[in-house]
Amino acid sequence: MSWHVLGAGSLGSLWATRLFRAGVPVQLILRDAQRLAAYRQAGGLTLVEQGQASLYAIVAGDLNEQAPIERLLLACKAYDAAEAIAAVAHRLTPEAEVILLQNGLGSQDEVAVQLPGRRCLPASSTEGAFRDGDWRVVFAGQGHNWIGDPLDATPPGWLSDLQRSHIPHTWSPDILARLWRKLALNCAINPLTVLHGCRNGELVRHGDQVDALCAELAGLLHGCGQADAARDLHLDVWRVIEATAANYSSMYQDVAAGRRTEISYLLGYACAAAERAALQVPHLKVVHRQLLEHLDRHGLPRY
Ligand code: NAD
Ligand code: KPL
């Protein structure tokens, strides 16, 4: 059974190249005939690891193809997920499984609602990768992937493909708790790094703000039935700030590069969830408003 990877960007390419070199059948789904021609011209995907570049001639098709899909890795940004799945939903077999590699929350539901009866498995990744050219991905940070199914705790058989491909992973029946926890970490750190224009570690100078956000986020997690994800959140946020002190957050990097952010699936999602649960989150709301104004000033989308 072949893997299909939709979204040949940083993480999609990182997964596809590792599956391919382990001999696991995999193919890419590119946007259109033009992208497919450019890919074929390049001869495949290049993975750069520890300065060493390797080219992998992975089979690719485009969104116009009609062949059935049994296992799909959806590896686009959260804001592209709904549209991307709509373009291939008719190709998914009734037993198809879809792994959702989006950060934040909200996009998983936007996808699942389009795929009644299909198994949707959200994933949360701390691996780091970026593109340093067309069809080239740099493996920038060792990390881990947690994969689960909120509706069914049975691990899928294809986890052995990940094992064989040395894609570090853990089967996580509590995947929603993991996604909430990561969302909370991202909400406590990323927006402030954008607003203060600083590295993660420099947030020690804005400790009161970080602490206030942590308190509201912990309350939000409790209010949304995610007590486990709230445990020691405050300590974890400071641990991450210290461990990544020299780094710029992903949101900082997106804004600096003039790229659209995933704000609607992070801070936007958190504020909307608080509203639904009738929880007071004044600090989160202020930071959300300030971040939207910041995006406006930089000509970037608010969603
Ligand atoms: P990316 O922008 O590098 O790649 C996404 C790819 O999807 C792009 O190539 C884009 O063209 C493609 N795409 C979007 N819509 C498409 C469509 N309809 N048809 C075909 N292709 C389509 O993004 P990324 O960095 O790989 O991030 C993916 C997700 O993983 C995000 O939610 C991100 O927050 C998360 N994440 C990324 C990293 C990282 O280091 N890059 C780490 C952890 C989590
Ligand atoms: O995931 C992150 C990001 O930059 O997106 C960390 C390092 C946890 C900061 O929130």
Side-chain angles (χ1 to χ4, degrees), residues 7 14 19 43 69 91 105 115 123 139 147 149 158 160 197 199 206 243 292:
L14 186 60
L19 288 166
I69 297 172
R91 292 174 56 187
L105 278 163
L115 305 177
F139 193 177
I147 306 167
D149 176 350
W158 45 258
S160 59
R199 294 176 197 265
H206 309 282
L292 292 174

Side-chain angles (χ1 to χ4, degrees), residues 132-239:
D132 73 343
D134 237 8
W135 317 114
R136 281 175 63 92
V137 61
V138 179
F139 193 177
Q142 301 290 329
H144 200 78
N145 299 285
W146 288 266
I147 306 167
D149 176 350
L151 303 177
D152 181 356
T154 320
W158 45 258
L159 292 180
S160 59
D161 286 349
L162 306 188
Q163 192 75 29
R164 187 171 146 196
S165 309
H166 302 292
I167 296 175
H169 65 280
T170 300
W171 175 247
S172 307
D174 65 343
I175 189 67
L176 285 184
R178 285 223 159 255
L179 289 168
W180 271 104
R181 176 69 158 216
K182 177 99 189 298
L183 175 135
L185 283 165
N186 286 165
C187 287
I189 299 172
N190 299 10
L192 292 180
T193 63
V194 173
L195 295 175
H196 294 297
C198 70
R199 294 176 197 265
N200 293 353
E202 291 164 55
L203 290 181
V204 292
R205 287 198 262 120
H206 309 282
D208 289 352
Q209 262 186 310
V210 175
D211 290 343
L213 292 184
C214 285
E216 290 184 2
L217 286 162
L220 175 64
L221 295 179
H222 276 284
C224 293
Q226 296 291 337
D228 280 353
R231 191 165 301 131
D232 295 333
L233 174 67
H234 187 247
L235 288 177
D236 206 20
V237 165
W238 282 111
R239 181 194 61 76

Side-chain angles (χ1 to χ4, degrees), residues 4-265:
H4 282 78
V5 176
L6 176 48
S10 307
L11 283 197
S13 300
L14 186 60
W15 279 57
T17 49
R18 288 180 294 181
L19 288 166
F20 179 83
R21 73 179 173 193
V24 175
V26 55
Q27 41 194 302
L28 306 172
I29 305 176
L30 306 179
R31 212 180 273 274
D32 52 32
Q34 207 181 340
R35 291 295 288 159
L36 185 56
Y39 172 76
R40 289 191 173 139
Q41 183 75 24
L45 282 180
T46 296
L47 174 64
V48 183
E49 279 173 299
Q50 291 159 351
Q52 185 94 25
S54 309
L55 176 69
Y56 299 104
I58 302 169
V59 171
D62 67 29
L63 286 174
N64 297 313
E65 285 187 17
Q66 297 303 322
I69 297 172
E70 291 172 303
R71 182 174 307 137
L72 179 71
L73 176 69
L74 186 64
C76 57
K77 290 280 173 64
Y79 49 73
D80 281 329
E83 195 182 319
I85 206 69
V88 293
H90 64 286
R91 292 174 56 187
L92 295 170
T93 63
E95 298 77 31
E97 294 177 284
V98 183
I99 298 110
L100 305 171
L101 207 43
Q102 284 66 50
N103 201 15
L105 278 163
S107 67
Q108 298 85 357
D109 289 340
E110 292 173 2
V111 169
V113 76
Q114 296 186 55
L115 305 177
R118 268 42 161 271
R119 195 175 193 195
C120 291
L121 301 106
S124 178
S125 181
T126 57
E127 294 197 289
F130 64 88
R131 285 179 286 176
D132 73 343
D134 237 8
W135 317 114
R136 281 175 63 92
V137 61
V138 179
F139 193 177
Q142 301 290 329
H144 200 78
N145 299 285
W146 288 266
I147 306 167
D149 176 350
L151 303 177
D152 181 356
T154 320
W158 45 258
L159 292 180
S160 59
D161 286 349
L162 306 188
Q163 192 75 29
R164 187 171 146 196
S165 309
H166 302 292
I167 296 175
H169 65 280
T170 300
W171 175 247
S172 307
D174 65 343
I175 189 67
L176 285 184
R178 285 223 159 255
L179 289 168
W180 271 104
R181 176 69 158 216
K182 177 99 189 298
L183 175 135
L185 283 165
N186 286 165
C187 287
I189 299 172
N190 299 10
L192 292 180
T193 63
V194 173
L195 295 175
H196 294 297
C198 70
R199 294 176 197 265
N200 293 353
E202 291 164 55
L203 290 181
V204 292
R205 287 198 262 120
H206 309 282
D208 289 352
Q209 262 186 310
V210 175
D211 290 343
L213 292 184
C214 285
E216 290 184 2
L217 286 162
L220 175 64
L221 295 179
H222 276 284
C224 293
Q226 296 291 337
D228 280 353
R231 191 165 301 131
D232 295 333
L233 174 67
H234 187 247
L235 288 177
D236 206 20
V237 165
W238 282 111
R239 181 194 61 76
V240 170
I241 287 175
E242 203 178 307
T244 61
N247 299 355
Y248 287 107
S249 76
S250 55
M251 189 178 270
Y252 176 101
Q253 292 181 45
D254 282 341
V255 173
R259 286 190 299 256
R260 183 175 170 184
T261 68
E262 295 181 300
I263 179 173
S264 300
Y265 299 88

